[in-house]
Amino acid sequence: MPTLHQHPQTLQAQPSGTPLRLLLHRMSAGFPSPAADDTEDSLDLNDYLVRHKPATFMFNVRGDSMRGASIEDGDKVVVDRSLQARHNDIIIAVVEGDYTIKRLHQQHGRIELRPDNPAYQAIVLSAERPLEVWGVVVGVVRRLKRAG
Amino acid sequence: MNTSAQFALVDVNNFYVSCERVFQPRLHNIPMVVLSNNDGCAVARSNEVKALGVKMGAPWFSLKDLALLHGIEAFSSNYTLYADMSQRVVDILRDYAPDLEVYSIDESFLRIEQVLPLHGGGVALGRQMRQRIRQWTGLPVCVGIGPTKTLAKFANHLAKKQAVFEGVCDLNALSRPERQDWMAQTEVREVWGVGNRTARRLAEMDIHTVLDLRNTPPARVRERFGVVMERIVCELRGISCLGLEDITPPKQQIMASRSFGRPVHSVVELREALSAHVARAGEKLRAQQSLAGAVHVFIRTNPFKPDEPQYNASLLVPLPEPSDDSRLLSDAVWVALRKIFRAGFAYKKAGVMLTALSEARRQQHGLFEDTVTRTRDAALMKTLDHLNLHFGRDTIHLAATGTSRDWRMRSANRSPRFTTCWDELPSAH
């Protein structure tokens, strides 16, 4: 039995969900810009801060023990677990079940977690208290509060 | 069929428990479980808890004495965290072998014959993946490798249970007698696709171990159990019958339901819950580019409280024409609910099933249908899904979904969403 139906073209012509993009280049009237192909580029803070996406985590900083390294209370830090911690890296370490953010000092067989603030003591590690690195700090993110 | 194929099955040990431990280092070596929705049953157990004899799915209330005695800690499931960690593992694996099937939240199959030479063989590749996932995510995984999916799964079982393999078992690296020896030592119910019931029926045929099953003529197995079991036997013999399912076939039904955290009495609250469910189901429907022909709605009281009045009803509402429009689906839900709702009951669960699905593109237009409205509606639905995808679930929802969400599932002891929520990041001093 023949059936009546309209041609289904209208449905396929539906507008697609195109994401908004900012144009980062000037358009010169008349000529297409040679940079027109780059309209997809925009500044992405993830690109800037994250090298190894599946290995990157964010931590919240509490306290001022790293003030000397410009890491303040309330800052968010970017932590990359794929990196092998080296001498002088700022790291997240696990000490007695808690997280601490400190600078790794690793020289002449002596391992310490050093604060960057003279008001705090270094944590000295030993065979009884081995170093447990959670990840290497590779960035700091902070939003500034406006006055008023 | 491809006899040169090689598969790896990578799975995370005690996945939910391991996720919790990555972010709460104090939990290492502490007996712990993760509970199902509404904190009902143990759905993940640490090795310490397994050693205490706690079974998968054990109700939490039945464990309270044991928990007190041994200091077992219980966590509500934190699916946001588990989904994020699962994605990270898959991302890492894809770097090793782009040909990958995510089999479940904590296991993936990989096609590896192409990449094996690059890594110096199966054992070396397995160790590398294991080491990298451990370092990058903190999660422990086991790797099983073999020429078929069923054998890779078997190898994974050995990697997990037999300490000698140190988490990586490549069947190709074993001699034939060694392989047969392990098969003879492993019960047949450990084979992928053989359940406990099938195992009992196999026992009647004197098939008890993996090796027994492997050595049974496939034709004989087919007579008694059908082609699926025959395929399992072929796979155990190294003949690859199952490929990677990289494209999941569109679902024939889409279900969205939840138990309430507390009893729900009013039609308003039920409507809110059902609207949220149908909104989620609608998203899934549009994501797989299907149309629903009917909406099935059900509500029920708690059957585990037999002293309370029981009521249990469902209704299928056929749509005037197949649709993926959340507003139409939501209207159908309301029609059904008004018909089946009875006052005076404590409702425990409500759900929506979209059914009679068809492909969106094949849909024929009704003779009297307004195509202009249809196009505009499709665009609206697309925008809705797009906003919810990019700005977080529930950025925009239909008004009927409500704003209170009081009926959501109970999760009394959920850990923070450490990896996806700015306010819940782990803190370091």
Side-chain angles (χ1 to χ4, degrees):
Chain A
M1 193 168 46
T3 49
L4 279 172
H5 63 87
Q6 289 168 293
H7 200 260
Q9 218 165 25
T10 336
L11 192 65
Q12 286 168 354
Q14 66 187 245
S16 64
T18 313
L20 293 175
R21 292 209 179 89
L22 296 177
L23 293 173
L24 287 180
H25 58 90
R26 286 170 190 281
M27 298 292 267
S28 52
F31 275 97
S33 159
D37 287 341
D38 297 334
T39 49
E40 291 198 22
D41 289 347
S42 62
L43 295 178
D44 184 343
L45 289 174
N46 286 309
D47 284 348
Y48 186 67
L49 292 164
V50 178
R51 285 282 91 85
H52 308 98
K53 188 163 174 268
T56 301
F57 300 84
M58 302 291 296
F59 273 66
N60 188 35
V61 176
R62 290 264 165 258
D64 57 1
S65 72
M66 292 304 286
R67 175 160 288 171
S70 302
I71 300 175
E72 306 280 349
D73 184 50
D75 283 358
K76 316 292 178 218
V77 288
V78 184
V79 180
D80 189 338
R81 286 184 57 104
S82 74
L83 304 176
Q84 206 67 47
R86 290 192 301 235
H87 172 65
N88 236 9
D89 280 342
I90 296 174
I91 63 167
I92 299 286
V94 178
V95 177
E96 279 146 25
D98 283 322
Y99 296 116
T100 187
I101 177 167
K102 295 289 178 289
R103 197 180 287 280
L104 176 65
H105 189 88
Q106 198 168 19
Q107 265 186 334
H108 314 301
R110 195 175 160 83
I111 304 174
E112 291 181 5
L113 295 173
R114 292 187 173 177
D116 230 328
N117 183 337
Y120 293 84
Q121 298 276 313
I123 300 166
V124 181
L125 300 164
S126 59
E128 295 82 53
R129 200 194 212 187
L131 174 65
E132 202 181 319
V133 179
W134 201 92
V136 176
V137 177
V138 294
V140 189
V141 187
R142 178 185 313 150
R143 274 202 304 232
L144 299 180
K145 287 187 191 71
R146 296 180 66 198
Chain B
M1 219 182 273
N2 184 349
T3 44
S4 66
Q6 288 295 332
F7 295 88
L9 177 66
V10 182
D11 87 330
V12 184
N13 309 342
N14 308 334
F15 180 56
Y16 299 169
V17 163
S18 298
C19 287
E20 299 291 347
R21 283 178 168 171
V22 168
F23 296 95
Q24 300 178 84
R26 66 166 189 90
L27 293 174
H28 281 279
N29 305 320
I30 284 182
M32 61 179 287
V33 293
V34 174
L35 303 175
S36 59
N37 286 355
N38 288 328
D39 293 350
C41 310
V43 288
R45 303 157 296 156
S46 72
N47 288 343
E48 299 80 11
V49 168
K50 288 178 185 172
L52 291 172
V54 173
K55 295 278 175 257
M56 189 69 169
W60 175 233
F61 68 81
S62 73
L63 299 175
K64 289 240 157 105
D65 289 340
L66 198 69
L68 219 55
L69 191 63
H70 296 278
I72 301 175
E73 295 209 26
F75 288 85
S76 311
S77 14
N78 185 347
Y79 289 114
T80 315
L81 175 67
Y82 310 150
D84 179 68
M85 295 302 280
S86 172
Q87 188 59 51
R88 290 166 186 266
V89 173
V90 171
D91 286 349
I92 293 169
L93 290 175
R94 236 186 261 283
D95 271 353
Y96 284 100
D99 212 359
L100 173 147
E101 173 193 352
V102 179
Y103 181 65
S104 74
I105 193 166
D106 62 352
E107 42 186 343
S108 294
F109 282 104
L110 287 73
R111 252 326 254 276
I112 54 169
E113 66 270 16
Q114 305 279 345
V115 298
L116 275 177
L118 303 173
H119 296 276
V123 175
L125 171 66
R127 285 190 182 145
Q128 269 183 55
M129 293 193 292
R130 186 172 141 88
Q131 199 280 331
R132 175 170 286 188
I133 292 170
R134 181 75 198 216
Q135 185 178 344
W136 287 31
T137 68
L139 296 170
V141 301
C142 283
V143 183
I145 295 171
T148 69
K149 284 173 93 174
T150 307
L151 284 172
K153 190 94 179 166
F154 171 66
N156 181 275
H157 173 81
L158 295 179
K160 210 179 308 172
K161 302 286 175 187
Q162 306 293 341
V164 49
F165 291 108
E166 296 174 348
V168 178
C169 173
D170 176 5
L171 291 181
N172 308 293
L174 302 177
S175 68
R176 194 183 153 86
E178 279 175 320
R179 274 199 300 271
Q180 299 211 339
D181 200 32
W182 285 118
M183 284 186 170
Q185 285 184 40
T186 311
E187 288 180 59
V188 72
R189 68 186 166 89
E190 301 295 349
V191 172
W192 189 36
V194 176
N196 280 333
R197 245 184 60 209
T198 314
R200 275 195 296 275
R201 285 178 60 206
L202 285 167
E204 290 164 14
M205 292 171 71
D206 217 23
I207 297 170
H208 304 282
T209 68
V210 180
L211 189 64
D212 293 342
L213 183 61
R214 186 215 171 273
N215 289 341
T216 309
R220 201 172 147 228
V221 173
R222 186 175 56 196
E223 276 168 31
R224 293 283 289 268
F225 297 93
V227 285
V228 176
M229 189 60 90
E230 183 191 26
R231 212 154 53 195
I232 289 173
V233 175
C234 289
E235 284 237 321
L236 283 176
R237 292 171 173 227
I239 301 158
S240 180
C241 307
L242 304 167
L244 292 189
E245 290 175 22
D246 40 6
I247 302 158
T248 0
K251 294 199 176 70
Q252 290 312 298
Q253 287 166 339
I254 295 172
M255 174 87 159
S257 72
R258 276 261 166 97
S259 292
F260 300 121
R262 54 162 184 76
V264 161
H265 298 90
S266 76
V267 71
V268 177
E269 282 174 293
L270 280 175
R271 186 185 184 187
E272 255 193 36
L274 287 168
S275 299
H277 295 332
V278 81
R280 249 190 312 134
E283 270 177 35
K284 287 187 199 161
L285 183 74
R286 294 188 289 273
Q288 71 170 43
Q289 301 191 332
S290 299
L291 301 170
V295 179
H296 194 174
V297 176
F298 70 86
I299 54 176
R300 68 165 169 78
T301 51
N302 188 348
F304 299 105
K305 289 189 173 168
D307 40 344
E308 283 183 10
Q310 295 289 318
Y311 180 66
N312 178 343
S314 70
L315 187 68
L316 185 92
V317 180
L319 299 174
E321 59 179 82
S323 173
D324 61 0
D325 187 328
S326 273
R327 293 165 301 172
L328 194 64
L329 302 174
S330 189
D331 286 349
V333 165
W334 183 221
V335 166
L337 181 62
R338 267 186 307 196
K339 287 208 169 133
I340 59 177
F341 177 78
R342 298 283 178 274
F345 293 95
Y347 291 98
K348 174 68 180 169
K349 191 168 189 174
V352 171
M353 192 165 74
L354 304 181
T355 180
L357 305 189
S358 57
E359 272 184 63
R361 262 164 286 128
R362 287 207 194 132
Q363 216 250 321
Q364 297 188 348
H365 288 204
L367 184 56
F368 301 108
E369 198 191 311
D370 178 353
T371 45
V372 178
T373 314
R374 168 184 283 283
T375 309
R376 205 171 57 219
D377 289 351
L380 174 65
M381 287 303 123
K382 207 159 199 176
T383 308
L384 189 135
D385 289 348
H386 190 73
L387 287 172
N388 283 339
L389 185 67
H390 286 268
F391 297 101
R393 157 155 307 168
D394 295 346
T395 303
I396 289 194
H397 53 73
L398 300 174
T401 316
T403 46
S404 54
R405 292 297 177 88
D406 201 20
W407 40 265
R408 274 240 181 124
M409 80 172 190
R410 187 167 55 210
S411 44
N413 194 26
R414 181 179 60 69
S415 55
R417 289 163 291 183
F418 293 110
T419 59
T420 52
C421 187
W422 286 112
D423 294 329
E424 299 182 20
L425 300 179
S427 280
H429 288 261

